């Protein structure tokens, strides 16, 4: 079992040439309910403490009819907006509302029991609902997140494999392949308001994870890997140096890198009030639209939100995600290119394999060049607008180690910063700044613990990795004993307090925390199965 988990850390090496497909126009979102006056007025009314509540409710009729009815009835002197919503919208059904933690169980037994609590059966499309239907059963993260989320699901799948639930992990992979085939990419989550963006592309790692026990998986899902890569590289052909189009940026010559991006230029439907309030002090509509675009792109990163994206110290409204080449994203694209290279090579498609190898090599050189801050001894994002390295040191800087891209000297420098600056009583803190955002200090997140540990183990830093895993699982266990829950994020700096920050309360469930805890349990049993330091 441990070897299966560790083979998920073992990476091939390479890059690909694809016909870029046309991204589906987000008309399913742009011309929908989310632009009506009814939607805007409900979201700005503060009727729901969480803006996501309203976008997840089901409507009793097509939105044009509902909008017309609202515009007519609101003229009445006794009109009540709350009563109108209650009459025409219904909340999602509660799942396992009577579930209670059995505190006599260990944390790991609790996690194993949660798979069936977090499991959902395939649902047909429902008229008047935001959900995107899936063909197989799946695991949701938990709490307010009642649909699947892209990058969350890889770490959930790690736990499923560690727990012997390959059946569910295979269903998850099949669902993501279905999304690529039916939509053209994997959206942030399976709601129609997420159709303007994706998330960190972990599909290739999902394929690699399951290919360790079924070698036919890579061949079976190779067409979807090609399609996802085309989505991320769409628009590259027509770019001049230092131009960007959607998710791709051309640097000098033929060198390409990627950024997080969202096609929308309005407040996020699921965080409408919060976005409008943040933009309210900006003087022009153009500035507001730019902020909305950058907030959406930050949501595409999964890090919503963090000082990592700020253009000005301490200024949330200065978020500039679209101007950065993120180190985590480009490391993931490097891995995707490697897996595609392997697929082309085994198919005898030599020209495509050679092109992939060239692109992967160039991307690795750029990451080790422009995204390496020698003075800080750490990998950072790169500001391609100003052509300077980013100023924030964050746990995203461990991704090149995870994929074996760093030199031994670079890995040693990253390891030193991790153990001296990031290591906290409960694990690794996400950034070195306490901004009030949830992807900053004092919070730690399961997926980043996994990537950091994997990177350290790849370069032979077994004892450091063991220390991080022990602290993280210890904190998970303490919070479980205190609350009976696995949480979305944890306060790693003060383990007597629960985590906080961000747009919503800390959620329980919780898919990726469950998965990483089980994965770490396996690694702590047999760390000798970890990848060794590269030559």
């Amino acid at each position: 079992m441990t070897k299966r988990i560790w083979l998920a850390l073992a990476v091939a090496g390479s890059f690909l040439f694809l016909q870029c497909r046309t991204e589906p126009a987000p008309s399913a979102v742009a011309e929908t309910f989310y632009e009506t006056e009814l939607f805007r007025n409900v979201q700005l009314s503060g009727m729901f403490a969480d803006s996501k509540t309203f976008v997840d409710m089901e409507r009793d009729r097509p939105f044009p009819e509902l909008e017309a009815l609202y515009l007519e009835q609101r003229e009445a002197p006794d009109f009540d907006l709350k009563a109108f919503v209650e009459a025409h919208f219904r909340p999602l059904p509660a799942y396992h509302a009577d579930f209670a933690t059995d505190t006599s169980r260990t944390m790991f037994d609790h996690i194993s029991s949660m798979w069936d609590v977090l499991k959902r059966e395939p649902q047909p499309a429902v008229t008047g609902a935001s959900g995107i239907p899936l063909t197989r059963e799946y695991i949701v993260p938990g709490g307010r997140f009642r649909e699947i989320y892209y990058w969350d699901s890889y770490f959930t799948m790690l736990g499923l494999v560690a727990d012997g639930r390959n059946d569910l992990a295979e269903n998850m992979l099949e669902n993501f392949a279905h999304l690529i085939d039916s939509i053209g990419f994997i959206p942030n989550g399976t709601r129609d308001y997420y159709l303007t963006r994706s998330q960190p592309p972990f599909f290739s790692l999902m394929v690699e994870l399951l290919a360790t026990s079924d070698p036919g998986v890579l061949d079976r899902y190779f067409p979807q890997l090609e399609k996802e890569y085309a989505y991320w590289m769409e628009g590259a052909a027509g770019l001049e140096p230092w131009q960007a189009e959607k998710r791709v940026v051309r640097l000098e010559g033929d060198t390409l890198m990627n950024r997080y991006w969202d096609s929308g230029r309005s407040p996020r439907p699921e965080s409408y009030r919060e976005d409008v309030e943040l933009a309210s002090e900006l003087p022009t509509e153009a500035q507001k639209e730019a902020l909305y675009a950058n907030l959406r792109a930050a949501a595409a990163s999964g890090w919503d939100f963090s000082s990592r994206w700020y253009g000005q110290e301490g200024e949330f409204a200065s978020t500039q995600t679209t101007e950065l080449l993120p180190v985590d994203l480009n490391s993931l694209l490097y891995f995707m290119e490697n897996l595609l290279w392997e697929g082309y090579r085994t198919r005898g498609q030599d020209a495509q394999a050679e092109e992939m190898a060239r692109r992967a090599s160039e991307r690795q050189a750029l990451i080790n060049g422009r995204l390496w801050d020698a003075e800080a001894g750490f990998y950072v994002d790169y500001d391609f607008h100003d052509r300077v390295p980013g100023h924030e040191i964050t746990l995203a800087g461990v991704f090149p180690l995870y994929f074996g891209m760093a030199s031994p000297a670079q890995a040693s420098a990253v390891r030193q910063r991790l153990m001296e600056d990031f290591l906290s009583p409960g694990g690794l803190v996400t950034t070195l700044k306490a901004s009030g955002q949830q992807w900053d200090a004092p919070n730690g997140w399961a997926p980043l613990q996994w990537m950091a540990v994997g990177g350290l183990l790849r370069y032979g830093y077994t004892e450091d990795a063991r220390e991080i895993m022990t602290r993280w699982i210890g904190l998970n266990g303490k919070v479980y004993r205190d609350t009976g829950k696995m949480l979305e994020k944890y306060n790693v700096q003060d383990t007597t307090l629960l985590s906080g920050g961000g747009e919503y309360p800390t959620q329980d469930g919780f898919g990726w925390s469950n998965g990483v805890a089980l994965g770490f349990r396996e690694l702590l049993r047999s760390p000798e199965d970890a990848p060794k330091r590269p030559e």
Side-chain angles (χ1 to χ4, degrees), residues 46-53 273-274 503-505:
M47 185 183 308
F48 299 103
D50 185 347
S51 293
K52 191 176 184 303
T53 302
R273 184 181 70 255
E274 293 86 346
E503 298 177 318
Y504 56 85

Side-chain angles (χ1 to χ4, degrees), residues 76 285 321 343 422 468:
E285 285 303 312
T321 322
F422 286 85
I468 294 166

